[in-house]
Amino acid sequence: MAFRQDAGRGRGNNSWTSPDGGLYFSILLEKAKNRPATDLAFLGGVAIADALSELKPYSGELTLKWPNDVLIGGKKVAGLLAELEGGSHVILGVGVNVSTAASDLRAVSAKFPPGVVNSFAGVKTTPEKLAKSLVARLAHLYDWYGEDGFEAIRERWLGHCPWVGRQIQVSTEPGKFFWSTFTGIDGDGALVLTDAEGKSQTLLSAEILCCSH
């Protein structure tokens, strides 16, 4: 566990700005047989959302964004990265902007700008306190996942995602995007979309750029 990183990274070739005041850690977990590593990124997202909801009842402000981001008020406060390790384990990396100074994040340019947990009214915590709550929730959800499989995690994840049935802007390659209705995620965690003609599309790799109001 660290409170600052010099070379944090996110999904794909994206970097993860990791100044003082954040919570950054990786945990090694056994991969479920015949299941993708990304299961555990969804599990981690639910754990973060639950831990943050314990601090304040965010209602619709707190959103899980496919596939591995946590937003509050449309700002990204946390991200996850699940990477296969040796074929039988997954390294789950977690980054949360807990009490990061806003000035340390001003240079970050993104469709969903970075946010800081402690900048939202009524919230006051520390990386250490959040780590304790988050690790406990990760352990609980991981045991639950081992017993009931991904479907239970999928339902919990969708419970933190109010975008179902709304139009989202999606990109599958740099510089190109399209609008479609977000239907949900399937049993493998893939993004499920429905176009204007009612045709369903499933994407394993894509980026959500924005969501209609």
Side-chain angles (χ1 to χ4, degrees):
M1 186 170 69
F3 303 119
R4 182 180 185 279
Q5 292 182 132
D6 294 321
R9 62 187 180 87
R11 185 167 166 251
N13 295 318
N14 296 324
S15 61
W16 178 269
T17 303
S18 313
D20 290 326
L23 169 62
Y24 318 103
F25 70 90
S26 295
I27 184 169
L28 184 68
L29 299 169
E30 187 174 354
K31 187 178 84 68
K33 188 176 180 180
N34 299 322
R35 291 298 307 171
T38 49
D39 278 11
L40 298 178
F42 290 102
L43 185 153
V46 173
I48 293 174
D50 286 352
L52 294 179
S53 295
E54 191 176 65
L55 301 173
K56 176 188 175 182
Y58 286 98
S59 300
E61 281 188 300
L62 195 154
T63 303
L64 291 179
K65 171 180 166 284
W66 185 89
N68 59 348
D69 295 335
V70 183
L71 311 178
I72 298 178
K75 295 184 176 182
K76 181 175 174 177
V77 298
L80 302 110
L81 183 64
E83 296 184 307
L84 196 60
E85 174 69 17
S88 60
H89 288 78
V90 174
I91 298 175
L92 179 64
V94 177
V96 187
N97 300 326
V98 181
S99 55
T100 317
S103 58
D104 288 332
L105 298 173
R106 283 179 188 148
V108 179
S109 177
K111 283 283 187 178
F112 293 87
V116 178
V117 170
N118 278 359
S119 70
F120 293 91
V123 176
K124 184 71 173 178
T125 190
T126 65
E128 294 90 344
K129 288 180 181 178
L130 185 60
K132 184 176 180 179
S133 173
L134 181 51
V135 170
R137 290 179 179 279
L138 278 170
H140 171 72
L141 287 170
Y142 183 71
D143 287 343
W144 190 37
Y145 168 68
E147 293 175 2
D148 294 347
F150 180 66
E151 182 58 25
I153 299 300
R154 188 183 77 89
E155 290 181 3
R156 288 286 303 278
W157 189 94
L158 287 170
H160 287 292
C161 183
W163 296 1
V164 176
R166 293 166 61 182
Q167 287 274 305
I168 58 173
Q169 190 183 67
V170 181
S171 174
T172 55
E173 57 182 296
K176 295 184 179 182
F177 65 86
F178 62 92
W179 287 89
S180 192
T181 300
F182 175 56
T183 305
I185 59 175
D186 70 8
D188 290 320
L191 180 66
V192 183
L193 306 171
T194 303
D195 66 18
E197 297 177 351
K199 183 179 178 181
S200 182
Q201 180 181 15
T202 301
L203 298 174
L204 286 171
S205 179
E207 182 180 3
I208 295 176
L209 302 179
C210 65
C211 179
S212 64
H213 297 290

